[in-house]
Amino acid sequence: MNTERFWQLVNTARVSEEPLHEALTRLLTARGTEDICAFHARFDQLDTVVDRWDVWAAASLIGGGCSDDRFMDFKAGLIALGRTWYERAVRCPDDLAEHPDVQHAIATGIDEAVFYEEMGFTGVRAYGRVTGDEDGFYPAVDRYRAHHGEPEAEHHDMGEDFDFDDVQEMRRRLPRLAALCLKDIQA
């Protein structure tokens, strides 16, 4: 599945009346196991692109901290925001300060739209609906990758590591998000 088709599916699901993860699961289920595995392989590639320290720092600001598991949910949430916002976050994670869901999460602490765990499991659920066997999903994705010559995402350079607890550093690197999230904290 090419990147264009991936984003078409996400955008079609985004305009559905259903929650995004349910609409996407339904769309993938209708396409069969080959496309489900292809979708997940592309999802993993996009997830790896935003697996960076500066993006993690943005997640930490937005979520008031961010564990490894929460960062996985955040990366899935970036994909759920759609192509335009995903690509903006790739270029400049600080741009997320302008997104209404991010602003809402910061203001209310209700951040499921941004830390979107269910989005990361749409392929598993769709595969399970088609085959009756969710446990077979990841081996099927591995077989898909091997058959299509698509390598699994490997360790990569996450960029420069820095201290997320250093208020001055966060303000320097992510000034707009820091202004929203750290306004009551003295440096």
Side-chain angles (χ1 to χ4, degrees), residues 22-44:
E22 291 175 11
L24 191 51
T25 299
R26 179 180 45 76
L27 290 169
L28 289 170
T29 299
R31 299 180 64 83
T33 59
E34 179 85 4
D35 274 1
I36 293 168
C37 291
F39 179 88
H40 188 77
R42 182 67 57 194
F43 183 96
D44 279 352

Side-chain angles (χ1 to χ4, degrees), residues 19-180:
L20 174 62
H21 67 279
E22 291 175 11
L24 191 51
T25 299
R26 179 180 45 76
L27 290 169
L28 289 170
T29 299
R31 299 180 64 83
T33 59
E34 179 85 4
D35 274 1
I36 293 168
C37 291
F39 179 88
H40 188 77
R42 182 67 57 194
F43 183 96
D44 279 352
Q45 289 172 346
L46 294 167
D47 179 271
T48 300
V49 169
V50 290
D51 193 20
R52 303 186 332 226
W53 292 116
D54 58 344
V55 176
W56 200 333
S60 184
L61 283 171
I62 294 164
C66 187
S67 68
D68 295 1
D69 285 345
R70 289 272 288 161
F71 187 48
M72 289 174 56
D73 298 344
F74 184 77
K75 293 183 295 175
L78 290 179
I79 293 168
L81 293 177
R83 186 176 196 166
T84 300
W85 279 100
Y86 169 86
E87 289 177 352
R88 281 186 72 177
V90 167
R91 284 189 303 276
C92 179
D94 200 36
D95 281 357
L96 291 168
E98 299 172 22
H99 195 284
D101 288 344
V102 170
Q103 293 170 353
H104 178 75
I106 292 167
T108 66
I110 301 170
D111 60 11
E112 289 81 15
V114 181
F115 291 84
Y116 200 165
E117 180 180 14
E118 294 87 358
M119 180 67 178
F121 295 100
T122 55
V124 174
R125 289 196 180 95
Y127 187 86
R129 286 185 190 172
V130 171
T131 66
D133 178 24
E134 283 187 2
D135 292 338
F137 175 67
Y138 292 105
V141 171
D142 289 343
R143 286 189 303 274
Y144 170 86
R145 285 186 180 117
H147 184 262
H148 293 281
E150 291 190 22
E152 187 171 349
E154 297 179 17
H155 293 290
H156 62 282
D157 182 9
M158 290 182 60
E160 182 185 354
D161 189 5
F162 57 97
D163 183 1
F164 297 173
D165 293 324
D166 182 334
V167 174
Q168 289 296 79
E169 187 69 10
M170 293 296 268
R171 286 185 172 140
R172 184 179 74 75
R173 291 178 183 259
L174 300 162
R176 290 175 288 158
L177 279 171
L180 292 172

